[in-house]
């Protein structure tokens, strides 16, 4: 065998031939428990296949159950030197589990009574709920980690633990009358959370990718800021439209109420107009062949009108003289009157008028039939008085 000893601060109720285990496998037994320098030295007889253990190995006295026998659990280590036969593990590398009887012994009579009531209450509450208890035990490790964090936070504040227990007792007393209702009331929540528990892996995967998704959503929301700004501006601009909208709607309502009469009149007009449309179309169809020749005719007259425009001052002088002759004639017994004056103006020209009418400036016969340059007589005041 491979003999190793271990010093423990306390090894009560650890008997001879108790099991020695490594990772749950039985690897030896306890040969002897003896006092040694205010410690308990436990001699272990191990199987040869365990050799060699190193000096970093730890030992712990544990219970098989709350009320079961004790055994020694070894945790080998890869650090340290090799332990030879007869070597001893120091007390700094050993520990012992707290027994339930040690807990009871530390309580006074009143608290032992409270503990008894607590155990009786737990027994009553757990009766017939084995399946639920098993499910609770399956979820216990995360709960214990959370409880450990909570206990650390409570212990970090002086006097918090002493105040916590009476507070919990008072809270438990307040829930006592409605504990059955509470137990039944949490059942719907448990059923609602059951799918998340059954699909815990998928939920964890979703939570794993959630940060990236949230970052993408955050980026998308940041990109939508200009849209929100424009939406706010649109809302403010819409307010200017919606403020006068009620008055405009009231006016529109009044207009719609007053519109039946004009609409009936318009209907009559449209009906009459519809009867006039066919004749109008027929007229336009007949006029359409004449439009192009009329346009060509007007275009052909443009040179004549342009020439008359260049001689407008002479024409105006002619008309003025003609009107004067027709109105006044020639005084005395001279043979000229309105008809003779028109004949002389149109046919004889300036030279003939000088031969017939006395008292005019004499001129040679070379002026007969001669037409000077445009507006050769100078600017003539038009008949209307404007120049």
């Amino acid at each position: 065998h491979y003999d190793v000893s271990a010093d423990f601060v306390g090894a009560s109720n650890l008997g001879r031939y108790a099991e020695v285990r490594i990772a749950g496998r039985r690897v030896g037994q306890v040969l002897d428990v003896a006092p040694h320098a205010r410690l308990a030295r436990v001699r272990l007889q191990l199987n040869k296949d365990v050799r060699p253990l190193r000096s970093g190995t730890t030992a712990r006295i544990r219970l098989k159950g709350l009320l079961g026998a004790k055994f020694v659990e070894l945790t080998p280590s890869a650090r340290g030197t090799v332990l030879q036969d007869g070597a001893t593990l120091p007390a700094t590398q050993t520990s012992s589990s707290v027994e339930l009887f040690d807990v009871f012994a530390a309580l006074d009579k009143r608290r032992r009574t409270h503990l008894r009531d607590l155990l009786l209450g737990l027994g009553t509450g757990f009766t017939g709920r084995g399946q639920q208890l098993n499910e609770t035990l399956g979820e216990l490790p995360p709960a214990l980690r959370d409880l450990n964090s909570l206990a650390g936070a409570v212990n970090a504040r002086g006097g918090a633990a002493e105040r916590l227990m009476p507070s919990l007792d008072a809270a438990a007393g307040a829930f006592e009358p409605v504990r059955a209702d509470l137990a039944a009331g949490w059942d719907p929540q448990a059923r609602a959370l059951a799918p998340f528990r059954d699909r815990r892996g998928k939920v964890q995967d979703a939570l794993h990718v959630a940060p990236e998704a949230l970052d993408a959503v955050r980026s998308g929301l940041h990109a939508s800021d200009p849209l929100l700004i424009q939406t706010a501006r649109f809302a403010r601009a819409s307010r200017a439209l919606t403020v006068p909208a009620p008055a405009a709607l009231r006016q529109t309502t009044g207009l719609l109420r007053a519109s039946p009469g004009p609409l009936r009149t318009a209907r009559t007009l449209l009906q009459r107009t519809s009867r006039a449309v066919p004749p109008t179309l027929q007229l336009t169809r007949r006029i359409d062949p004449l439009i192009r020749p009329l346009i060509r005719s007007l275009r052909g007259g443009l040179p004549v009108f342009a020439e008359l425009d260049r001689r407008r001052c002479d024409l105006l002088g002619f008309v003025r003289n003609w009107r004067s002759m027709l109105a006044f004639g020639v005084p005395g017994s001279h043979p000229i009157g309105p008809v003779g004056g028109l004949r002389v103006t149109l046919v004889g020209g300036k030279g003939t008028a000088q031969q017939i009418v006395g008292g005019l400036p004499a001129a040679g016969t070379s002026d007969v039939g001669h037409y000077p340059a445009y507006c050769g007589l100078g600017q003539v005041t038009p008949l209307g008085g404007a120049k």
Side-chain angles (χ1 to χ4, degrees):
H1 297 93
Y2 179 36
D3 293 338
V4 176
S5 298
D7 290 339
F8 292 89
V9 176
S12 58
N13 299 321
L14 180 66
R16 296 181 61 187
Y17 311 116
E19 294 181 351
V20 179
R21 293 178 176 271
I22 295 179
R25 181 174 68 91
R26 189 177 186 280
V27 296
Q29 63 181 353
V30 176
L31 289 183
D32 186 28
V33 179
H36 178 76
R38 297 183 179 181
L39 299 174
R41 176 161 290 182
V42 180
R43 183 181 171 192
L44 308 176
Q45 186 182 62
L46 308 177
N47 298 336
K48 290 187 297 183
D49 58 354
V50 177
R51 183 182 298 179
L53 294 176
R54 294 188 174 272
S55 58
T57 303
T58 60
R60 180 176 178 83
I61 299 176
R62 303 188 59 181
L63 293 170
K64 289 185 178 180
L66 290 178
L67 302 176
K70 292 184 176 183
F71 68 95
V72 177
E73 182 181 46
L74 295 178
T75 303
S77 174
R79 295 182 295 105
T81 58
V82 175
L83 296 177
Q84 303 297 331
D85 279 330
T88 303
L89 293 174
T92 55
Q93 297 176 215
T94 64
S95 59
S96 300
S97 299
V98 178
E99 298 183 32
L100 186 59
F101 297 106
D102 297 335
V103 176
F104 292 158
L107 301 177
D108 56 17
K109 182 177 180 181
R110 182 170 64 89
R111 288 178 173 78
R112 284 199 298 270
T113 302
H114 291 169
L115 182 59
R116 181 195 63 191
D117 296 339
L118 173 64
L119 294 176
L120 290 175
L122 291 175
T124 303
F126 290 150
T127 301
R129 293 183 174 85
Q131 181 63 31
Q132 298 175 359
L133 181 60
N134 290 336
E135 295 175 357
T136 302
L137 292 176
E139 302 294 334
L140 193 59
L144 289 178
R145 286 194 296 269
D146 296 338
L147 182 60
N148 187 28
S149 301
L150 176 61
V154 172
N155 291 330
R157 301 177 64 88
E162 290 79 358
R163 295 190 300 270
L164 177 63
M165 293 306 171
S167 300
L168 292 177
D169 183 63
F175 286 123
E176 173 65 23
V178 293
R179 61 181 181 178
D181 297 334
L182 288 174
W186 287 106
D187 188 60
Q189 288 83 350
R191 290 196 300 270
L193 294 175
F196 294 95
R197 180 199 61 196
D198 298 338
R199 296 171 177 83
R200 181 169 52 190
K202 295 182 178 180
V203 172
Q204 290 177 346
D205 294 339
L207 293 177
H208 179 70
V209 300
E212 297 179 359
L214 291 176
D215 290 339
V217 170
R218 187 180 296 109
S219 301
L221 292 176
H222 180 69
S224 66
D225 287 345
L227 175 61
L228 294 178
I229 294 173
Q230 295 297 330
T231 304
R233 293 177 179 174
F234 175 74
R236 289 193 293 270
S238 300
R239 184 179 179 183
L241 174 65
T242 56
V243 169
L249 290 176
R250 286 193 294 269
Q251 295 176 0
T252 303
T253 303
L255 177 63
L256 292 176
R257 289 175 178 173
S259 62
L263 288 177
R264 285 192 294 268
T265 305
R267 180 181 180 183
T268 303
L269 175 62
L270 292 175
Q271 290 174 349
R272 293 179 179 178
T273 304
S274 65
R275 290 193 295 270
V277 169
T280 303
L281 292 177
Q282 185 177 4
L283 175 63
T284 55
R285 283 195 293 269
R286 290 180 179 179
I287 292 177
D288 183 66
L290 303 177
I291 292 177
R292 293 184 181 277
L294 180 61
I295 292 174
R296 289 195 298 270
S297 176
L298 294 175
R299 288 177 178 175
L302 288 177
V304 176
F305 292 124
E307 185 67 20
L308 291 177
D309 179 66
R310 286 193 294 269
R311 304 174 186 271
R312 61 185 180 276
C313 57
D314 296 340
L315 291 174
L316 291 174
F318 162 74
V319 173
R320 187 188 65 176
N321 294 333
W322 183 38
R323 182 186 65 175
S324 176
M325 286 186 297
L326 291 178
F328 301 104
V330 179
S333 60
H334 201 281
I336 184 169
V339 176
L342 177 62
R343 181 181 61 82
V344 171
T345 303
L346 294 178
V347 177
K350 181 179 178 183
T352 304
Q354 290 173 344
Q355 295 174 8
I356 295 175
V357 180
L360 295 176
T365 59
S366 61
D367 290 335
V368 177
H370 175 72
Y371 192 90
Y374 301 144
C375 295
L377 299 180
Q379 286 293 107
V380 179
T381 302
L383 297 179
K387 195 169 185 180

